Amino acid sequence: VIDATSLGWGSRVKGFIACFAIGCLCSLLGSCLLWVPKKGLMLFAVFYTLGNIASIGSTLFLMGPMKQLKRMFEPTRLIATIVMLLCLVLTLCSAFWWRKKGLALLFCILQFFALAWYSISFIPFAR
């Protein structure tokens, strides 16, 4: 089963590039939609969050899902992972359920810093 479902290195790199490009495109689209009257901030929050999720998901192609999950929840980056995931969820909650534009924008800003902190945690000695 493992041999039948594993991807070759070329396919992994292509999957990473495609998923990362989709993430960047969603984030860019969200930034463009920020200026749409009435719904712009909500659209920005949604597309920015989806872009970040796709960008994080792109690394699944390089490491594999289980290795990625294990590394995400290592003690050295556990807090960064929890804060990042919490910011992703709270951004979507504030956009869809609470319908608070200011809160959605705040969580987008926190999401940016949380993702930066999470990304830096993968660089040796950067912590």
Side-chain angles (χ1 to χ4, degrees):
V1 173
I2 293 173
D3 291 335
T5 58
S6 64
L7 297 172
W9 181 248
S11 298
R12 288 178 185 265
V13 170
K14 288 175 190 173
F16 167 77
I17 291 170
C19 201
F20 190 76
I22 289 169
C24 290
L25 182 67
C26 282
S27 295
L28 182 65
L29 181 62
S31 297
C32 293
L33 292 173
L34 183 61
W35 308 111
V36 172
K38 293 186 183 180
K39 298 279 185 187
L41 190 58
M42 298 298 182
L43 291 171
F44 166 72
V46 170
F47 277 99
Y48 186 75
T49 301
L50 291 176
N52 282 341
I53 290 170
S55 295
I56 294 166
S58 67
T59 59
L60 294 174
F61 285 100
L62 295 179
M63 286 192 253
M66 291 310 295
K67 187 174 180 182
Q68 172 74 11
L69 287 174
K70 286 179 185 175
R71 292 194 68 196
M72 283 176 74
F73 292 101
E74 287 177 349
T76 56
R77 68 180 57 89
L78 180 64
I79 295 172
T81 300
I82 291 171
V83 169
M84 181 201 54
L85 293 174
L86 188 64
C87 286
L88 291 172
V89 170
L90 289 174
T91 301
L92 293 176
C93 286
S94 63
F96 286 121
W97 288 285
W98 305 327
R99 301 199 186 276
K100 302 285 185 185
K101 293 179 181 179
L103 203 55
L105 184 60
L106 175 68
F107 285 130
C108 280
I109 293 167
L110 291 175
Q111 192 181 131
F112 171 79
F113 287 116
L115 187 62
W117 180 25
Y118 171 77
S119 299
I120 288 171
S121 75
F122 279 94
I123 301 171
F125 305 111
R127 297 183 287 275

